[in-house]
Amino acid sequence: MATDIKAEKIQQNNVTEIFPVKSKQKPTTRSTTQTPESKYWSSFKTKQIPNLTSSINSLTFSPTNPNLFAAARSTSLTIYSAATLSPSTTLSSFRDVVTSASFRCDGALIAAADLSGLIQVFDIKKRNALRRLKSHTRPARFVKYPRSDKVHLLSGGDDSIVKYWDVAGESVLLNLYGHKDYVRCGDCSPIGGADLFVTGSYDHTVKVWDVRVDNSKSVMEVNHGSPVEDVIYLPSGGLIATAGGNTVKIWDLLGGGNMLYSMESHNKTVTSICVGKIGKEGLEESGETRILSVGLDGYMKVFDYAKLKVTHSMRFPAPLMSVGFSPNSMTRVIGTSNGVIYAGRRKVKEDLDNKVSNFWGLGSVEQPQRRALKPSYYRYFTRGQSDKPSEGDFLVMRTKKVKFAEHDKLLKKFHHKEALVSAIGNNKNPESVVAVMEELVSRKKLLKCVSNLDTEELGLLLVFLQKNSTMPRHSNFLMGLTKKVLQIRAEDIRASDVLKGHVRNLKRSVEEEIRIQNSLLEIQGIISPLLRIAGRR
């Protein structure tokens, strides 16, 4: 007898563990998780600089601290502080619309070109024009200071001529012929001093020039395939990036001008490109660089030319005309066609220990040292509770107590009808109600529960079916249940006006869903042939 009692106790202890009822897993849409690089580019908090009245044709940063940036708009050139994003200087002695600007390597002077063909060199502090370079017979479209040269300038314009200037003498040293259409852009090599540079034109060509060559002809030429809007040297000096049409192309100059990759992620014309460095926490930079491109489709794309893929994309509400990125990786500016600059400043965690000062600002106040922990302190026994585990640590997880809902407790006691009524009446989430119904189906008790419902409980079930039977996720299961309910409880429904009203509402919602589905099928029939025709092109 004692052995039988022990056996019963062992069987009771070996009962399988009971878990809360959960709905069956359904296919879900893929959630887009941000990559670390997307988080980095999203950390630039965008601020609008409005009311500039006209298109922002050019944005350029000073190569020296504090990295001021200049915005060319209408007949003026405005210089902004990269730290506060507020205007500090405005240069307005232009006859026509300013098209391009470039800082000298020491950041003391800035050169600007306008549609009259005039190029002016300004002292930023005194705001006066030091030199006026006049040789272009048609609008000047770009001007560029070499990376490490203070006395020469490069310019190009609608007269299809590239000019190499002596700034001090206000004279042209070289007229470089070769382009057959408007010269729109150019850049100077980061290596080789002021001797090498590249220009792009609307004749679809990009030419590499060397001022040491006597015959004034280009030393290399590549064909972009579209009118070239912008061209830049990449930091190595052996690669260039060109923008034209809706493509950005990477070219290997050291390899004879071979095209390495063509990025076609824009839907409209790419108007401007620049190079941006990935910054680390703090003010230092990492060695990774990216190509930032903007276009008339309103998108800014970040392109990793080492991995040959787009790593980030941002949408703006207007066509984009220009883009700039500060050398210290802290500020990003984008100019639009409607006169708004979207300036983004990256937030950096400040070192609070270095910024603690006293009330009067007379000096820093030393932080009080924390006393050593002793077993008599409360903090001694709670130490380490907030520490995060490091890699390689073995984690001992505390088991969480499972919380059961009311219908789970009733299912555990095999009170099936009460569990169904509790789920319908107390649960606003249809997923939980369907989970209980699926559990009752697996126990072969659902139809029996439906037949035992009284009039009020049957009304609750019909209201639930009327609200959720047309949901695509559960329609297959609930529509089958609806048919069974109407068959089993037909007599009770005829005898009650309230239940008749619920059935009429259910019928109305099903008819509305059928009408919507038929309309969608008609639309699909119209679109499908158009998509097939578009796919053949």
Side-chain angles (χ1 to χ4, degrees):
M1 186 71 179
T3 57
D4 293 340
I5 295 173
K6 289 181 180 180
E8 288 179 1
K9 289 182 178 180
I10 292 172
Q11 288 179 357
Q12 291 176 0
N13 292 332
N14 290 338
V15 173
T16 57
E17 190 176 355
I18 298 175
F19 296 96
V21 175
K22 294 182 179 180
S23 59
K24 294 180 181 178
Q25 292 185 351
K26 301 290 193 305
T28 56
T29 56
R30 193 192 322 179
S31 60
T32 56
T33 56
Q34 276 195 325
T35 62
E37 184 157 341
S38 292
K39 291 179 181 178
Y40 169 77
W41 293 109
S42 300
S43 66
F44 287 83
K45 303 304 177 185
T46 302
K47 173 187 175 182
Q48 290 189 30
I49 304 177
N51 303 325
L52 300 183
T53 67
S54 64
S55 174
I56 311 299
N57 297 319
S58 173
L59 289 168
T60 181
F61 274 89
S62 171
T64 59
N65 285 328
N67 295 128
L68 304 173
F69 69 92
R73 59 178 183 89
S74 187
T75 58
S76 63
L77 183 68
T78 306
I79 299 173
Y80 293 85
S81 167
T84 61
L85 303 180
S86 58
S88 59
T89 304
T90 299
L91 307 173
S92 55
S93 58
F94 295 93
R95 302 175 186 173
D96 212 328
V97 175
V98 183
T99 56
S100 178
S102 177
F103 282 93
R104 200 170 72 172
C105 58
D106 59 359
L109 304 181
I110 186 171
D114 61 28
L115 291 182
S116 68
L118 180 65
I119 298 171
Q120 301 184 69
V121 179
F122 295 90
D123 186 329
I124 293 179
K125 292 184 179 179
K126 297 180 180 179
R127 296 189 299 176
N128 60 330
L130 302 180
R131 295 290 185 272
R132 296 176 185 270
L133 311 178
K134 179 64 176 176
S135 179
H136 285 287
T137 58
R138 301 188 69 181
R141 293 294 180 176
F142 87 92
V143 62
K144 200 76 175 179
Y145 262 111
R147 303 290 175 98
S148 58
D149 190 349
K150 297 182 180 180
V151 295
H152 295 105
L153 265 179
L154 181 69
S155 69
D158 289 355
D159 53 9
S160 306
I161 304 174
V162 179
K163 296 181 180 292
Y164 187 67
W165 296 86
D166 175 17
V167 178
E170 298 185 0
S171 61
V172 179
L173 296 179
L174 286 174
N175 283 317
L176 304 174
Y177 300 94
H179 287 295
K180 299 176 182 178
D181 207 336
Y182 301 157
V183 180
R184 302 287 294 194
C185 53
D187 195 17
C188 298
S189 173
I191 59 176
D195 300 326
L196 290 172
F197 48 88
V198 63
T199 57
S201 169
Y202 271 8
D203 62 4
H204 300 191
T205 63
V206 175
K207 295 181 182 293
V208 182
W209 308 88
D210 189 342
V211 296
R212 295 168 294 187
V213 178
D214 295 333
N215 56 11
S216 299
K217 291 184 179 180
S218 62
V219 296
M220 188 179 295
E221 177 182 322
V222 297
N223 193 323
H224 182 83
S226 300
V228 181
E229 298 288 347
D230 202 0
V231 59
I232 57 171
Y233 267 99
L234 298 182
S236 65
L239 302 176
I240 61 170
T242 59
N246 64 343
T247 61
V248 176
K249 296 183 179 181
I250 312 295
W251 304 87
D252 181 9
L253 298 184
L254 299 180
N258 295 325
M259 187 182 72
L260 300 180
Y261 190 76
S262 176
M263 181 188 71
E264 301 179 359
S265 61
H266 285 275
N267 297 321
K268 294 184 179 180
T269 301
V270 182
T271 52
S272 180
I273 54 177
C274 74
V275 172
K277 288 187 178 181
I278 300 290
K280 297 180 181 177
E281 289 294 330
L283 295 177
E284 71 270 15
E285 303 167 357
S286 69
E288 299 183 8
T289 55
R290 303 287 186 266
I291 297 175
L292 279 66
S293 64
V294 296
L296 297 180
D297 55 0
Y299 278 94
M300 182 202 76
K301 306 281 185 177
V302 180
F303 181 68
D304 183 354
Y305 60 89
K307 298 179 181 178
L308 302 179
K309 66 176 184 179
V310 176
T311 57
H312 185 65
S313 178
M314 289 184 67
R315 178 79 167 90
F316 292 88
L320 307 181
M321 303 300 295
S322 52
V323 61
F325 197 78
S326 64
N328 62 1
S329 305
M330 291 298 299
T331 310
R332 179 219 66 219
V333 289
I334 297 172
T336 65
S337 62
N338 59 5
V340 177
I341 296 177
Y342 292 95
R345 180 85 180 159
R346 185 162 64 93
K347 288 189 176 180
V348 179
K349 295 181 180 178
E350 297 179 351
D351 189 1
L352 297 179
D353 295 336
N354 297 330
K355 295 202 171 186
V356 175
S357 57
N358 61 5
F359 179 77
W360 302 103
L362 299 177
S364 61
V365 178
E366 294 184 358
Q367 290 278 8
Q369 295 184 353
R370 300 185 71 175
R371 291 181 293 178
L373 292 177
K374 297 180 181 179
S376 58
Y377 295 163
Y378 172 74
R379 285 193 295 113
Y380 179 84
F381 297 96
T382 60
R383 67 190 187 281
Q385 290 187 3
S386 59
D387 291 347
K388 295 182 179 180
S390 58
E391 187 177 358
D393 288 347
F394 180 78
L395 301 181
V396 180
M397 306 300 294
R398 182 181 297 175
T399 56
K400 295 183 180 179
K401 187 176 180 181
V402 180
K403 294 183 179 180
F404 288 97
E406 184 64 27
H407 57 261
D408 290 317
K409 296 176 182 177
L410 293 170
L411 285 173
K412 185 178 179 181
K413 298 176 183 178
F414 300 98
H415 296 168
H416 299 128
K417 190 193 85 167
E418 291 79 1
L420 178 62
V421 174
S422 175
I424 296 173
N426 302 331
N427 222 317
K428 296 181 180 179
N429 184 12
E431 301 279 346
S432 300
V433 181
V434 173
V436 173
M437 291 178 175
E438 289 174 343
E439 176 65 22
L440 293 176
V441 169
S442 65
R443 298 187 185 189
K444 300 181 180 179
K445 297 293 183 181
L446 181 59
L447 296 182
K448 186 176 181 181
C449 293
V450 171
S451 61
N452 292 332
L453 295 175
D454 58 26
T455 304
E456 184 178 353
E457 295 167 347
L458 182 59
L460 289 175
L461 178 59
L462 291 174
V463 170
F464 173 80
L465 293 175
Q466 182 255 325
K467 290 181 179 180
N468 302 286
S469 61
T470 56
M471 291 177 60
R473 184 180 287 268
H474 308 301
S475 60
N476 191 22
F477 175 77
L478 293 180
M479 287 306 298
L481 177 61
T482 302
K483 293 178 182 178
K484 292 291 184 181
V485 171
L486 295 178
Q487 290 174 3
I488 296 172
R489 305 301 298 268
E491 295 182 1
D492 297 324
I493 293 172
R494 293 192 194 97
S496 173
D497 294 334
V498 177
L499 295 180
K500 286 181 181 178
H502 293 323
V503 172
R504 280 194 296 269
N505 293 336
L506 176 60
K507 182 180 178 182
R508 194 178 298 115
S509 64
V510 172
E511 290 175 347
E512 179 66 19
E513 181 66 21
I514 293 172
R515 187 188 64 79
I516 293 173
Q517 293 294 333
N518 289 332
S519 301
L520 292 176
L521 288 174
E522 292 176 2
I523 296 172
Q524 183 180 3
I526 295 171
I527 294 176
S528 295
L530 299 177
L531 293 177
R532 274 195 220 97
I533 294 171
R536 292 171 187 168
R537 294 180 178 177

